[in-house]
Amino acid sequence: MKTIHYHDDGKGFPIVWIHGFPLSSKVFEPQIAIDQFRHIRVDLRGFGKTPPAEGETSMASYARDVLDVMDDAKIDRAVIAGISMGGYVVMQLLRDAPERVAALLLLDTRETPDTEEGRAARFKQADDVAKNGIGSVVDAMTPKMAIGGEAQAAIRKIMEESSPQGVIAGLKAMAARPDSAETLRNAHVPALVVVGDRDEITPPRDAERMVSLLQHAEEAPIAKAAHAANFERPEQLNPLIHAFLFRHVLRHEHAASL
Ligand code: MLT
């Protein structure tokens, strides 16, 4: 696959990981250690090693790119996982191709669209990035992503690799994203909803609301964690993901193959 860069690690039932803003597939490096799964980590357009899009970017275009990656990797159905903006893409993919989704991992995300003020702030930020580069976005996000200095420095490095075009397109795509409440209400697959107890961007009340909308959901609160809970606290999160997917996916896939 030429356009969209992705990593393919491990063996087993596939998990497709979709990163948040303004990150890359590197934010999921700590999750490759989850055993018995094949980990597909996508770089969305304009982030990581994938070049920016030439045309308009939207949650729908990001989701299409992820489906193309699944085709390229010969994956029919997978666990679809996304953090924050990646979660918005997961919900879009669930609307567009529910038959490709075996289970959901929704990490530090929300189903609500932006408010009017939120949208205006995105456009202001996009103008600033066009004029001055991504520095102000990276500075604003760093303390919200992680608590410890080491994790903050590592995540800052990942964010600094994003292209200005990718960041601008991501801001506009997030501003235009739809309400996904109905998508979650109609979801029939098991979902694990993860949230850092100190996440200020998508706080625990967002996770609780998503759990109440979903038909088959469990919440996984992560202690001493901010927005990128998966990155800073894999020792808490990875066993929870493994146990959840063992119960809800691996056991069923095994029984179906007998
Ligand atoms: C993200 O982490 O992907 C973004 O902060 C999400 C957002 O700004 O809505």
Side-chain angles (χ1 to χ4, degrees):
M1 173 119 196
K2 289 193 193 70
T3 320
I4 308 295
H5 176 262
Y6 67 95
H7 300 269
D8 186 347
D9 296 286
K11 285 200 168 54
F13 195 85
I15 308 178
V16 176
W17 298 95
I18 311 172
H19 64 80
F21 171 92
L23 294 161
S24 76
S25 55
K26 285 187 182 167
V27 77
F28 290 120
E29 257 165 24
Q31 276 62 59
I32 306 171
I34 302 174
D35 218 11
Q36 294 181 290
F37 290 90
R38 178 180 173 194
H39 300 280
I40 303 288
R41 291 180 294 130
V42 179
D43 280 336
L44 296 175
R45 288 189 197 251
F47 300 97
K49 293 200 174 118
T50 300
E54 275 158 30
E56 186 85 352
T57 302
S58 62
M59 290 307 142
S61 69
Y62 286 144
R64 240 183 351 259
D65 286 339
V66 173
L67 289 167
D68 285 348
V69 165
M70 288 174 71
D71 290 344
D72 190 68
K74 309 227 172 333
I75 292 169
D76 270 352
R77 273 169 77 247
V79 176
I80 310 290
I83 175 174
S84 204
M85 182 178 83
Y88 312 157
V89 180
V90 170
M91 293 176 228
Q92 180 72 44
L93 194 151
L94 188 59
R95 273 192 288 283
D96 295 345
E99 72 286 357
R100 315 279 306 256
V101 182
L104 298 170
L105 302 178
L106 294 167
L107 298 98
D108 297 273
T109 189
R110 58 185 157 201
E111 85 294 0
T112 48
D114 278 359
T115 59
E116 275 309 314
E117 299 79 36
R119 255 179 231 128
R122 302 263 197 215
F123 283 105
K124 206 157 155 260
Q125 244 182 345
D127 281 347
D128 184 58
V129 173
K131 285 192 201 111
N132 306 311
I134 66 169
S136 62
V137 172
V138 172
D139 286 348
M141 293 295 279
T142 300
K144 296 181 180 162
M145 287 288 188
I147 295 169
E150 217 174 290
Q152 283 186 357
I155 216 145
R156 168 181 276 277
K157 224 167 136 226
I158 299 174
M159 292 194 286
E160 281 171 347
E161 288 167 3
S162 303
S163 69
Q165 300 98 302
V167 169
I168 291 168
L171 284 164
K172 293 184 177 168
M174 287 194 286
R177 77 185 188 278
D179 189 335
S180 292
E182 209 46 36
T183 308
L184 295 190
R185 262 192 217 104
N186 292 332
H188 296 292
V189 287
L192 186 67
V193 180
V194 174
V195 66
D197 63 349
R198 299 200 211 157
D199 185 350
E200 291 172 22
I201 298 178
T202 49
R205 65 172 175 277
D206 286 339
E208 280 150 27
R209 197 183 51 247
M210 287 193 292
V211 168
S212 71
L213 288 168
L214 285 153
Q215 297 176 33
H216 311 283
E218 286 175 26
E219 191 179 333
I222 305 299
K224 297 198 188 115
H227 193 49
N230 70 297
F231 188 77
E232 194 169 19
R233 304 286 175 222
E235 73 291 351
Q236 280 181 58
L237 179 59
N238 288 2
L240 294 176
I241 290 179
H242 188 273
F244 178 84
L245 294 180
F246 185 80
R247 261 182 290 131
H248 293 286
V249 178
L250 288 191
R251 259 196 349 208
H252 298 285
E253 293 294 319
H254 179 66
S257 71
L258 290 179

